[in-house]
Amino acid sequence: GYFLAFQNEQIVGICGTWNQISIKQTRIVSYSKLFRKMKPLYNMLARLTGWSKLPQEGSVLHTLNLHCIFVSDRNPGIFQSILWQIATDFKHENYDYMMCSLSEGDPLIRVFDSVKSRRIKGNYYLVNDGRHIPDDLKGNLFYIDSARI
């Protein structure tokens, strides 16, 4: 589904949610010997700190993917409102994680400073057949949709 934010009867934010478990899964096949030994201690600490526990071997992670994130003026307040509504609506759905992708310089990233989150960095490449890359594609914020990777 899609979540919308309105101001003065105009849409100022959109964020889609997508459960891909029927088409794409992350399965925990096994842990190393060290992780197996440390897992009970880690899970106890995770319970106390609010972090996610390490899943059982053989289990599938239930991830709610966020996609099509459009926010007027890249306003973090609007994005935070949308995220809180998504979190509220999916609170009892037993998702292990919520995942979204943003460019490193995107002001929306600040929203994740106020919640328990993990930032994973990656690279993207604009590849073409050697022709000139238009200036409007250089240095702008890029939106990479992790749900479609």
Side-chain angles (χ1 to χ4, degrees):
Y2 286 88
F3 288 76
L4 308 175
F6 292 89
Q7 281 182 348
N8 301 324
E9 299 182 16
Q10 290 191 5
I11 295 174
V12 294
I14 300 171
C15 183
T17 58
W18 191 2
N19 176 354
Q20 296 180 311
I21 199 158
S22 65
I23 60 170
K24 182 170 88 173
Q25 298 178 358
T26 300
R27 182 174 303 277
I28 307 303
V29 177
S30 66
Y31 290 106
S32 68
K33 289 178 184 179
L34 177 64
F35 263 94
R36 269 193 215 112
K37 289 179 182 178
M38 294 184 65
K39 186 177 173 227
L41 175 61
Y42 176 89
N43 283 347
M44 182 180 69
L45 291 172
R47 196 173 305 121
L48 296 172
T49 60
W51 285 93
S52 296
K53 297 187 324 182
L54 294 174
Q56 296 292 326
E57 289 183 3
S59 65
V60 174
L61 295 180
H62 296 276
T63 304
L64 182 63
N65 291 283
L66 305 183
H67 65 96
C68 299
I69 301 168
F70 300 102
V71 177
S72 179
D73 299 323
R74 305 311 286 171
N75 182 320
I78 294 170
F79 186 49
Q80 185 171 34
S81 296
I82 294 171
L83 283 181
W84 285 122
Q85 189 60 55
I86 291 170
T88 299
D89 286 7
F90 286 95
K91 184 177 183 176
H92 301 291
E93 298 288 327
N94 295 321
Y95 283 100
D96 298 304
Y97 301 96
M98 186 181 339
M99 182 170 61
C100 78
S101 300
L102 299 168
S103 287
E104 188 172 30
D106 194 327
L108 299 182
I109 287 178
R110 292 191 307 240
V111 170
F112 295 102
D113 293 339
S114 62
V115 296
K116 290 186 182 195
S117 61
R118 181 170 181 201
R119 195 172 290 180
I120 300 171
K121 293 185 178 188
N123 297 315
Y124 62 88
Y125 300 92
L126 179 60
V127 179
N128 69 5
D129 60 1
R131 289 179 283 166
H132 173 72
I133 296 173
D135 289 338
D136 60 343
L137 292 179
K138 296 178 183 176
N140 290 326
L141 295 177
F142 280 90
Y143 174 72
I144 307 299
D145 197 342
S146 60
R148 290 177 171 81
I149 295 175

